[in-house]
Amino acid sequence: MTAATSWTWEYDGYEPADERLRESLCTLGNGYFATRGAFPECVADEVHYPGTYAAGCYNRLTSDVAGHSVENEDMVNLPNWLALRFRRPGGRWLTPDTATVLDHRQVLHLDSGMMERVTRYALAEGKALFVRQQRFVGMADPHLAVLRTEFTAEGFAGALDVEAALDGGVTNSGVARYRDLDGHHLTHVHTGSSAPDTVWLRCRTRTSDIRIGMAARLTADVPVTERLEVSRAVQRIHLDLTPGRTATVDKTVALHTSHDPAISDPLDAAVDRVDAASGFDDLLKAHRTAWDQLWRRAEIDVPGAAGRILRLHLFHVLQTLSPHTADLDVGVPARGLHGEAYRGHVFWDELFVLPYLNLHFPEVSRALLGYRHRRLDQARAAARATGRRGALYPWQSGSDGREETQELHLNPRSGRWLPDHSRLQHHVGSAIAYNVWRYCEATGDAEFLHTKGAEMLLQIARYWADSAVYDEGLGRYRIQGVVGPDEYHDAYPDAKLPGLDDNAYTNVTAAWVLTRTLEVLRALPEPRRRELLERTGLDGGEREHWDEVSRTLHVPFHGGVISQFEGYGDLAELDWDGYRKRYGDIRRLDRILEAEGDTVNRYQASKQADVLMLGYLFSPAELQEIFSRLGHRLDQDTWRRTVDYYLRRTSHGSTLSGLVHGWVLARARRAEAWTFCQEALRGDIADLQGGTTGEGIHLGAMAGTLDLVQRGLTGLATSGGALCLDPVPLPELSSYGFAIHYLGHWGIQLRLEHGRLEITVPPSDLDPIDVRLPDRSVSVQPGEMRRLMLPG
Ligand code: BGC
């Protein structure tokens, strides 16, 4: 990567080993679909992977692995619309692997959502071909993508053959670990043409039967011929190049699927759309305007290298979850629409994404919560299947909300397929409840809170209350047989059954969900409360029981610290230095130990923040209050000791871990905070999790870093109808500004600098904003700017 402006992301030279990573980081998308930043002249192989994914487009297949038949639902790699190759007549197609690359440069323009690449290919006898391409995936029209290619002959005059295609012969093969699994998701591939310059391809997914229509228009100053193959719709042109004169070829592509609203047939819709599409310049203009508007709503201004990375993170968050997402029935895919890792599934990662979106794109947050609400019945069925009432949301969710977590996972280090118990992470339900609550706090959306929000809260709370078992000896309720956020621990050593007891994170968040739900029920307008109680059969007795459970869930402690789960403190200590010395990178300690014939379950060694997640979700005051309700005094010393304890026992095998540690340590005013913030900032750009970014970005960590500035450092909370701020100093990130959308005010500007807060509320006829600092409260009128010194 080379130095660049704060609005570009640039790569110089062709580096096959980096290509997968660049493709992920140069992915272009619009919340409806995305395409990896691959070379159009290259097909999928060991180096290149030109994937295209539409949000929510999944397909389920059964494969045989390790003697088991396993079913997996995957986000489908759609036909490759990008394909465009070129050669001198009679010569080989030019690719960076088959021809000599004299220069190569790739620039991602974050401001306009456009990728530009320039490559000079060496030809025989000192000649060269200069290729410049610009591409974008429409932010104005989410069904369109455009690729402009300019060819310039250097040192020769002569012909160039250009071939563009829609290629339906693709499979899901972007993740090496999944290659034993069936990746053939597309069937009934047909091609055709609808105009002299337009071809189309249609197909459907094998089991989910989603129909896909694509159409491509090729525009050049020369005639276009077509060849329709079984799975490829090919268009060809023959250019006569002369030195100094650039020949331009535009490929405009439309994509529709049968999930789209307001269409009758995806192919007809794609053909019509491409037919009606204007030329490159007009499309780009509209696309730029759409991006300008997004940047205005999500403005963040942080100086230096951190600011540049944050902008890239924001760019990818917006490409995965844009206002176009608000019209779709989709969740937050953990790895963006950028690759096939985790199969496009939806985990608890929305916990790191929605709090950021709430203050910029509340309509997107609401839609993402809608995805969960539509799957409430499925979650209730899952709870029933475990013999409990309420809703048990799946650890991994896809199309219909059933549990999509794989049964087996491969340890690439040992080559063994192992049982996967991560589905026992029932805490995902609390993440959904937390997001409902924070969304409603930030937006004041009482309508949502009183309807869908209350319905989800009620059923999630009910599941927790029904899961809690009273222990006479302890005189407390316990939740047993679960897995916490640290997925390294999925069982007690030598236990026959998976699952752990009294995971502190699970129990404390469950207690919080129960308390908040009771609060919401009390505050519901009477007619609505009656409706809800009638529909769910929730009576006074059950609510009393919830109240009791919310006060008496067991939170284990040992040696003066909160235990991750009952018995964590009895596990063996790991020889951290020894393992670091032997293996260097020990982030994936679970795989290392399993390959050694051992198991991480025997050790006090965590993959990621688990107990410390509590300090990420709740302010110190909130946390003290929750603990106090549970009958514990959580003083600063206990929290500090707990932070120290887990800091020494965490391998950070998830990108979420650095983020949470950075956040928690900054609040604890600890010097190490910046190291972890940097780990979170560099997670994807430097591919810190060892090759995983090439399989898709880590969306939770990316959005989390934005929220680290927005809520972590500022202590911004939107409770009680006021904007509460309690900034913590982080010397390395001490001046920043951003704009938020809050209680109907568009573009409230906040800037923190030199121990001073500047807040500007845009003119409107709305109510003034109540701003609460630790030492005072002020009211800021629309149209007013206030400067406030922060307490030292
Ligand atoms: C983490 C989970 C996360 C998942 C998807 C895993 O490595 O441990 O917490 O939800 O990745 O991002």
Side-chain angles (χ1 to χ4, degrees), residues 334-335 342 347-349 395 425 485 487 588 607-608 653-654 656 698:
R335 305 301 285 274
Y342 292 139
F347 296 62
W348 73 324
D349 301 48
W395 172 239
Q425 289 184 79
E487 18 183 66
R588 291 312 301 260
K607 177 181 184 185
Q608 64 200 88
S654 157
L656 299 172
H698 296 84

Side-chain angles (χ1 to χ4, degrees), residues 92-392:
R92 291 177 78 180
W93 296 108
L94 299 172
T95 76
D97 310 304
T98 56
T100 304
V101 174
L102 299 172
D103 296 303
H104 174 70
R105 187 173 171 79
Q106 194 167 312
V107 184
L108 186 62
H109 296 272
L110 304 180
D111 52 350
S112 53
M114 205 237 279
M115 218 258 280
E116 185 183 359
R117 63 73 76 109
V118 287
T119 309
R120 278 178 71 232
Y121 279 116
L123 303 174
E125 297 150 17
K127 302 167 196 160
L129 179 70
F130 181 82
V131 183
R132 173 169 182 251
Q133 285 180 318
Q134 292 166 285
R135 75 171 89 151
F136 58 90
V137 170
M139 195 51 94
D141 182 337
H143 298 280
L144 285 182
V146 186
L147 173 69
R148 162 165 282 185
T149 310
E150 294 167 349
F151 297 103
T152 314
E154 291 182 358
F156 75 100
L160 189 77
D161 289 333
V162 179
E163 185 189 278
L166 296 174
D167 183 1
V170 301
T171 60
N172 273 52
S173 51
V175 177
R177 288 184 306 292
Y178 303 163
R179 281 193 190 149
D180 286 352
L181 307 169
D182 190 351
H184 293 83
H185 293 284
L186 300 177
T187 183
H188 292 80
V189 184
H190 296 281
T191 58
S193 66
S194 58
D197 58 357
T198 304
V199 290
W200 55 257
L201 182 148
R202 80 173 133 87
C203 58
R204 55 182 60 191
T205 55
R206 265 169 70 193
T207 61
S208 54
D209 202 23
I210 303 170
R211 287 171 296 124
I212 295 145
M214 264 187 194
R217 181 180 75 198
L218 201 66
T219 321
D221 284 340
V222 290
V224 179
T225 58
E226 70 193 31
R227 210 181 75 204
L228 302 174
E229 301 172 1
V230 180
S231 61
R232 287 193 339 138
V234 178
Q235 291 178 295
R236 287 186 173 152
I237 52 175
H238 182 83
L239 298 172
D240 276 316
L241 300 180
T242 43
R245 270 197 52 205
T246 296
T248 303
V249 181
D250 288 343
K251 184 175 182 183
T252 308
V253 176
L255 165 68
H256 274 280
T257 81
S258 51
H259 276 176
D260 296 346
I263 62 163
S264 58
D265 173 76
L267 179 60
D268 290 348
V271 168
D272 289 350
R273 193 166 288 263
V274 97
D275 199 32
S278 41
F280 182 86
D281 292 338
D282 285 347
L283 291 175
L284 179 59
K285 195 164 162 230
H287 172 74
R288 275 179 190 277
T289 305
W291 266 106
D292 282 349
Q293 290 174 358
L294 287 188
W295 286 117
R296 286 208 295 273
R297 279 176 73 178
E299 189 180 324
I300 183 161
D301 175 21
V302 174
R308 216 178 133 245
I309 300 171
L310 285 168
R311 194 163 279 146
L312 180 79
H313 287 183
L314 181 49
F315 181 70
H316 286 301
V317 171
L318 296 176
Q319 294 202 106
T320 312
L321 303 167
S322 81
H324 298 299
T325 314
D327 290 335
L328 309 175
D329 175 31
V330 300
V332 174
R335 305 301 285 274
L337 301 171
H338 295 58
E340 292 163 14
Y342 292 139
R343 308 190 164 83
H345 290 173
V346 177
F347 296 62
W348 73 324
D349 301 48
E350 62 206 58
L351 187 56
F352 301 85
V353 179
L354 263 69
Y356 174 77
L357 292 178
N358 290 342
L359 291 166
H360 304 276
F361 301 96
E363 76 279 26
V364 179
S365 291
R366 188 180 161 123
L368 295 167
L369 292 171
Y371 165 85
R372 292 300 195 175
H373 183 260
R374 269 175 236 114
R375 287 151 185 82
L376 181 57
D377 278 345
Q378 187 70 259
R380 291 182 60 206
R384 267 197 307 280
T386 67
R388 292 175 194 160
R389 303 173 70 199
L392 170 58

Side-chain angles (χ1 to χ4, degrees), residues 366 439-441 443-454 524-525 528:
R366 188 180 161 123
Y439 162 77
C440 294
E441 265 187 351
T443 58
D445 188 346
E447 199 270 334
F448 185 82
L449 182 63
H450 294 164
T451 54
K452 296 176 178 166
L524 280 182
R528 177 58 190 146

Side-chain angles (χ1 to χ4, degrees), residues 317-625:
V317 171
L318 296 176
Q319 294 202 106
T320 312
L321 303 167
S322 81
H324 298 299
T325 314
D327 290 335
L328 309 175
D329 175 31
V330 300
V332 174
R335 305 301 285 274
L337 301 171
H338 295 58
E340 292 163 14
Y342 292 139
R343 308 190 164 83
H345 290 173
V346 177
F347 296 62
W348 73 324
D349 301 48
E350 62 206 58
L351 187 56
F352 301 85
V353 179
L354 263 69
Y356 174 77
L357 292 178
N358 290 342
L359 291 166
H360 304 276
F361 301 96
E363 76 279 26
V364 179
S365 291
R366 188 180 161 123
L368 295 167
L369 292 171
Y371 165 85
R372 292 300 195 175
H373 183 260
R374 269 175 236 114
R375 287 151 185 82
L376 181 57
D377 278 345
Q378 187 70 259
R380 291 182 60 206
R384 267 197 307 280
T386 67
R388 292 175 194 160
R389 303 173 70 199
L392 170 58
Y393 275 95
W395 172 239
Q396 294 186 29
S397 183
S399 58
D400 63 8
R402 77 178 80 166
E403 180 59 79
E404 300 291 357
T405 304
Q406 56 196 348
E407 309 271 345
L408 297 174
H409 64 225
L410 178 71
N411 178 359
R413 210 175 250 281
S414 67
R416 278 189 284 268
W417 285 90
L418 306 159
D420 190 326
H421 301 303
S422 56
R423 67 184 59 212
L424 293 176
Q425 289 184 79
H426 298 175
H427 63 81
V428 59
S430 294
I432 295 166
Y434 180 90
N435 274 339
V436 167
W437 183 263
R438 293 285 189 232
Y439 162 77
C440 294
E441 265 187 351
T443 58
D445 188 346
E447 199 270 334
F448 185 82
L449 182 63
H450 294 164
T451 54
K452 296 176 178 166
E455 286 163 19
M456 286 192 277
L457 286 174
L458 186 151
Q459 298 296 354
I460 295 167
R462 182 176 252 173
Y463 179 76
W464 285 136
D466 223 32
S467 302
V469 180
Y470 191 69
D471 183 312
E472 293 284 349
L474 281 171
R476 282 184 172 269
Y477 281 89
R478 313 182 64 182
I479 295 176
Q480 294 169 301
V482 297
V483 169
D486 159 31
E487 18 183 66
Y488 279 180
H489 289 94
D490 64 357
Y492 286 102
D494 307 321
K496 291 213 172 60
L497 290 177
L500 302 155
D501 302 334
D502 311 304
N503 172 253
Y505 172 81
T506 303
N507 288 9
V508 171
T509 52
W512 180 87
V513 172
L514 286 160
T515 311
R516 291 285 92 91
T517 306
L518 287 168
E519 218 172 274
V520 170
L521 290 173
R522 277 194 297 271
L524 280 182
E526 167 51 27
R528 177 58 190 146
R529 180 166 51 240
R530 192 163 155 202
E531 273 179 19
L532 203 59
L533 301 187
E534 278 169 5
R535 259 199 242 162
T536 57
L538 182 76
D539 59 21
E542 192 176 349
R543 274 178 283 163
E544 257 171 53
H545 176 59
W546 290 10
D547 188 66
E548 190 193 339
V549 175
S550 77
R551 293 173 191 279
T552 53
L553 267 168
H554 178 44
V555 181
F557 284 81
H558 69 273
V561 303
I562 306 167
S563 306
Q564 189 173 302
F565 51 80
E566 186 63 60
Y568 187 88
D570 301 330
L571 301 177
E573 287 283 11
L574 184 88
D575 172 12
W576 290 89
D577 290 341
Y579 272 88
R580 279 202 185 97
K581 223 175 269 163
R582 281 201 350 249
Y583 290 95
D585 183 348
I586 58 164
R587 284 187 175 86
R588 291 312 301 260
L589 197 56
D590 58 332
R591 292 181 176 163
I592 292 175
L593 288 166
E594 194 277 332
E596 284 184 346
D598 201 347
T599 163
V600 71
N601 272 328
R602 293 204 313 117
Y603 300 96
Q604 294 179 41
S606 302
K607 177 181 184 185
Q608 64 200 88
D610 191 303
V611 173
L612 299 194
M613 273 300 298
L614 295 172
Y616 177 76
L617 298 189
F618 305 111
S619 69
E622 280 176 312
L623 204 52
Q624 274 165 20
E625 196 187 309

